Amino acid sequence: MGKKSKISIAQIEPEEILLDKESVSKLETPLEKTRGAIIFFVAFIILSSFLSRAFWLQIWQGDYYASRAIRNNVRLYPIQAPRGLIYDRNNKLLLDNAANFNLLLVPADIPKKDEALKNWVKKLSEISNKREDEIFDFLKTVNVGSTEPVSFSSNLNKDELIAIETKLRDAPGIFIRRETKRDYFENYYFSHLLGFLGKVSGADLKSDSFYTPLNFIGKTGLELQYENDLRGKPGKTAVIVDSDNTVLNILTAEEPMPGNNLILSIDKDLQKLLTDALTEKMADTISPAAAAVIINPKSGEILSLVSLPSFDSNLFNSGLSDKTYGALASDKKQPFFNRAIGGTYASGSTIKPFMAAAALNENIVSPEYKIDDTLGYITIPNQYDPDISYIFRDWKAHGFVDMRRAIAVSANVYFYVIGGGYKNIKGLGIDRIDKYFKLFGFGSSLGIDLPGETNGLVPNPAWKKSSKNESWFTGDTYNVSIGQGDVLITPLQLAAAISVIANNGTLYKPKIVSKITDNNGNTIGKFEPEIIRNVNIDKEKLQIVREGMRGAVTEGSAYLLNDLLIEVAGKTGTAQVTNTFRKTNAWFTGFAPYDNPEIALAIVIEGAGEGSSAAVPVAKRVFEWYYNQNYDKLK
């Protein structure tokens, strides 16, 4: 009994060292079958869900999510199409589209946190060579949440492009886009015709979904009038960015379609000649402004249209500063104002051929009837008080004059009499004067394809009552009869009206664009002559008026034209005004060749004095040019 038992180490199990028998029995108890099944089922469901979702995302919806992933890395922005080109009647190009590189910002991609924003602005300052405070001021003007690019800098030159492209890395929301801008050739000669482009306004964006805030749109001239034809169809540019919105690459996703081209009736060489002639005469006479229109009397095609002073259309190519535009807009010389179609002037004696045509058609006098102008004035009693009389003076006494000579020498007394009446001659009276002036196209727009045309004014009793709250007096009729008083006309109206005299009675709608072609040169629109009305005056009676206008050249105030190698008919005018530093505007209107008119014109030079000394020399240069261009067929 006193012996100790010996136990082998190999016989001792681990659990015998750590656990008691009761614990061991629990550890070795097997799991219940139900609980194991639940765990297996849950694991199976979870695994199946993962597999199903993977199948749905990668197989069933793979294309959809792949395209979304691409869209997250590729932004599509519209590209403004190259605008259509504009040519003169001889297919001489008047403008072109030059390359224009813009530095654009995407506001939504600009860092928002202060420190990141400061670093971004510093980077942009290095890229653009603009001060940081200028950049911060610019950012105040943009919508920070917008994904629409905004133009930060334009007209980048080659050196700027190279410098910028090397620094664009690590500058999110910044990229360069190549576009085009207008390059107007010799634009001083054509600015009022062609017009200019400007950035789209808020009103433009609301009225037409075609445009984006980066677009330029026609603001004046043909650029505005034919905007829908010239603007083309925009393309798309693909901007590839990384996860930090830094631009990696720029690709053309869809090529833009260029706009349609305009072929004008304007002759480039004639336009330049007329502009130069008017400019020189303005300098000679210290005139502030002038305008002229040359038209084909057989069709209404405008061959030349000039308004001076002019301006530089290229100033507007990339957005003119408010300061510079304000200085131009407030210039007292009004360089943006198209006087040829919008300027209204007292007609002076240029109205007399139309007075003569009306008097003949109404049988007021016969062409041979001579009116006494030996005193150089007539005296008219007041219609309400015979004891009061008014004197209506001529510029000189002309003796006894018939209609042809009255037109040739511009005898005021003759036209006072046929207009307002005198002694045994009743006169047309204001109602019939109003009727005929409007038949010839005065007092209303003619529908030229340029914006800014005005109506002018043919005064009558109803107008005077409504606008001035005054009665119409006999003296008003006498003043209107010689183109003074309240009658106002535009150079375009006078050119169109004198064409009616030249072509035996047809008033044509004036037109500048003769044809529209697509980018491949195919004609998609052609404009035929359009008649506004026939004045229904006998050809024989209009011939009397033409003979009087021919007399103005052979013996009258337009005698300077008598040595031309073609026969010209014309009429000068010297109109009194009160709103210029000089007292009279100088007018001339006429046509040639006399027997078969193919060119008619109207010229006004503000404050230049007499039409015979200021406007006629300009007309002479035009007729000489016409003869030199057509002498072969005029022989």
Side-chain angles (χ1 to χ4, degrees):
M1 294 187 56
K3 285 182 179 179
K4 292 184 180 179
S5 301
K6 292 183 180 180
I7 302 172
S8 172
I9 294 175
Q11 294 176 336
I12 299 175
E13 299 294 334
E15 60 269 19
E16 293 178 320
I17 298 172
L18 300 173
L19 302 172
D20 58 21
K21 291 182 178 181
E22 184 179 352
S23 297
V24 170
S25 66
K26 290 180 180 180
L27 182 65
E28 292 179 348
T29 301
L31 292 172
E32 296 178 7
K33 293 181 178 181
T34 303
R35 189 179 296 177
I38 291 172
I39 293 172
F40 175 79
F41 180 74
V42 171
F44 177 78
I45 293 296
I46 293 172
L47 182 59
S48 297
S49 297
F50 279 122
L51 291 173
S52 298
R53 186 61 176 166
F55 176 80
W56 174 261
L57 293 175
Q58 296 185 34
I59 307 301
W60 191 261
Q61 291 290 313
D63 292 342
Y64 169 75
Y65 286 102
S67 65
R68 286 194 61 180
I70 292 172
R71 286 200 296 272
N72 288 336
N73 294 321
V74 179
R75 278 88 172 279
L76 293 177
Y77 297 118
I79 310 173
Q80 185 165 5
R83 290 175 72 85
L85 303 178
I86 302 179
Y87 301 83
D88 86 336
R89 67 185 300 109
N90 299 310
N91 289 315
K92 294 179 180 178
L93 195 60
L94 302 180
L95 54 75
D96 203 353
N97 294 316
N100 182 34
F101 294 90
N102 292 334
L103 183 64
L104 303 181
L105 310 181
V106 181
D109 294 343
I110 298 173
K112 305 299 185 296
K113 295 181 180 180
D114 289 344
E115 193 62 31
L117 178 60
K118 288 179 182 178
N119 292 333
W120 183 89
V121 168
K122 183 178 180 180
K123 185 76 172 179
L124 180 57
S125 178
E126 295 173 358
I127 290 173
S128 64
N129 291 322
K130 290 192 177 183
R131 300 193 314 271
E132 292 183 21
D133 61 313
E134 288 182 274
I135 298 172
F136 277 112
D137 288 340
F138 176 81
L139 294 181
K140 294 176 183 177
T141 67
V142 304
N143 180 1
V144 293
S146 173
T147 58
E148 284 286 341
V150 294
S151 178
F152 180 73
S153 183
S154 58
N155 286 330
L156 303 176
N157 59 43
K158 183 178 180 181
D159 293 336
E160 289 174 322
L161 282 172
I162 295 173
I164 290 173
E165 286 179 339
T166 60
K167 299 176 182 178
L168 279 179
R169 270 293 190 192
D170 304 323
I174 302 174
F175 66 98
I176 295 171
R177 186 161 74 184
R178 183 186 188 280
E179 294 179 333
T180 60
K181 65 177 181 179
R182 284 304 213 197
D183 183 11
Y184 297 97
F185 305 154
E186 302 176 295
N187 63 87
Y188 177 80
Y189 294 104
F190 301 96
S191 58
H192 287 104
L193 276 169
L194 302 179
F196 58 83
L197 304 180
K199 287 186 176 179
V200 294
S201 65
D204 295 325
L205 294 172
K206 288 180 180 179
S207 63
D208 195 335
S209 60
F210 177 91
Y211 300 103
T212 71
L214 287 176
N215 288 155
F216 279 70
I217 189 174
K219 294 292 185 180
T220 63
L222 295 172
E223 294 276 29
L224 169 59
Q225 187 76 22
Y226 288 90
E227 168 66 19
N228 289 350
D229 293 289
L230 291 167
R231 68 189 187 182
K233 181 182 178 182
K236 291 180 181 178
T237 184
V239 179
I240 303 172
V241 299
D242 62 15
S243 58
D244 294 323
N245 295 320
T246 300
V247 175
L248 302 177
N249 201 0
I250 300 174
L251 304 171
T252 299
E254 183 179 332
E255 290 287 351
M257 182 180 296
N260 296 322
N261 305 318
L262 305 182
I263 312 299
L264 310 186
S265 57
I266 297 293
D267 188 297
K268 178 181 179 180
D269 295 337
L270 178 58
Q271 180 80 3
K272 293 176 65 175
L273 177 139
L274 180 58
T275 303
D276 290 341
L278 284 171
T279 302
E280 292 170 16
K281 186 54 65 175
M282 286 169 61
D284 291 343
T285 58
I286 320 177
S287 165
V293 176
I294 303 176
I295 193 170
N296 181 345
K298 295 180 177 180
S299 65
E301 291 178 291
I302 301 296
L303 304 176
S304 177
L305 188 148
V306 176
S307 177
L308 296 173
S310 186
F311 61 90
D312 184 356
S313 297
N314 287 316
L315 290 173
F316 301 87
N317 278 339
S318 301
L320 198 63
S321 70
D322 291 340
K323 183 178 180 180
T324 305
Y325 179 80
L328 287 169
S330 61
D331 189 335
K332 292 182 179 179
K333 294 181 180 180
Q334 296 180 285
F336 295 149
F337 181 41
N338 190 341
R339 290 166 168 82
I341 64 174
T344 54
Y345 303 87
S347 66
S349 294
T350 60
I351 209 73
K352 291 174 180 175
F354 312 105
M355 285 290 299
L360 287 174
N361 208 50
E362 293 293 327
N363 298 311
I364 301 298
V365 292
S366 69
E368 291 76 22
Y369 184 87
K370 293 184 177 182
I371 291 176
D372 185 0
D373 189 14
T374 55
L375 296 177
Y377 65 87
I378 58 173
T379 302
I380 305 296
N382 183 286
Q383 63 191 87
Y384 303 110
D385 186 352
D387 294 331
I388 301 176
S389 297
Y390 303 101
I391 296 176
F392 293 90
R393 299 185 181 279
D394 209 327
W395 63 278
K396 63 173 286 187
H398 296 284
F400 286 87
V401 291
D402 61 14
M403 182 170 285
R404 293 179 180 85
R405 181 163 175 77
I407 296 172
V409 301
S410 199
N412 284 346
V413 163
Y414 185 94
F415 293 95
Y416 288 141
V417 172
I418 66 171
Y422 185 66
K423 294 183 178 179
N424 62 317
I425 299 176
K426 183 178 181 181
L428 286 163
I430 191 57
D431 290 339
R432 287 190 285 187
I433 292 173
D434 176 80
K435 169 190 170 183
Y436 279 95
F437 281 5
K438 289 177 178 176
L439 276 177
F440 280 101
F442 299 113
S444 62
S445 64
L446 299 171
I448 189 173
D449 50 339
L450 273 182
E453 184 186 3
T454 52
N455 292 335
L457 175 64
V458 177
N460 56 36
W463 167 84
K464 190 176 182 184
K465 188 67 177 177
S466 64
S467 63
K468 297 184 175 182
N469 196 27
E470 295 176 359
S471 299
W472 188 266
F473 298 106
T474 303
D476 295 324
T477 304
Y478 286 104
N479 284 329
V480 169
S481 299
I482 63 166
Q484 298 292 347
D486 292 313
V487 61
L488 296 172
I489 67 172
T490 69
L492 175 67
Q493 287 173 339
L494 183 56
I498 210 65
S499 295
V500 178
I501 301 291
N503 67 29
N504 280 320
T506 303
L507 178 63
Y508 285 101
K509 182 178 181 178
K511 198 75 176 176
I512 291 176
V513 174
S514 59
K515 188 166 62 172
I516 299 176
T517 64
D518 65 17
N519 191 46
N520 295 315
N522 301 311
T523 299
I524 59 176
K526 189 173 183 179
F527 301 99
E528 301 296 337
E530 185 176 341
I531 296 174
I532 296 177
R533 73 179 66 91
N534 292 304
V535 299
N536 294 321
I537 297 177
D538 292 343
K539 295 179 181 180
E540 294 76 12
K541 293 176 179 177
L542 291 175
Q543 177 60 26
I544 301 299
V545 178
R546 286 196 293 272
E547 290 170 4
M549 293 180 66
R550 176 63 184 151
V553 173
T554 59
E555 60 172 318
S557 56
Y559 187 76
L560 181 66
L561 305 176
N562 197 39
D563 63 353
L564 289 169
L565 296 177
I566 55 171
E567 292 186 342
V568 176
K571 185 73 192 76
T572 60
T574 304
Q576 295 180 352
V577 291
T578 58
N579 61 345
T580 61
F581 71 100
R582 297 281 291 273
K583 291 184 179 180
T584 58
N585 291 335
W587 277 104
F588 176 79
T589 187
F591 53 86
Y594 171 66
D595 290 330
N596 184 27
E598 292 186 343
I599 185 171
L601 55 78
I603 297 168
V604 62
I605 306 175
E606 295 183 16
E610 296 184 357
S612 58
S613 60
V616 170
V618 174
K620 186 172 186 176
R621 289 181 61 176
V622 172
F623 290 128
E624 287 174 337
W625 176 90
Y626 172 82
Y627 175 80
N628 290 334
Q629 296 295 310
N630 298 277
Y631 71 94
D632 285 337
K633 69 178 183 180
L634 294 173
K635 289 181 179 179

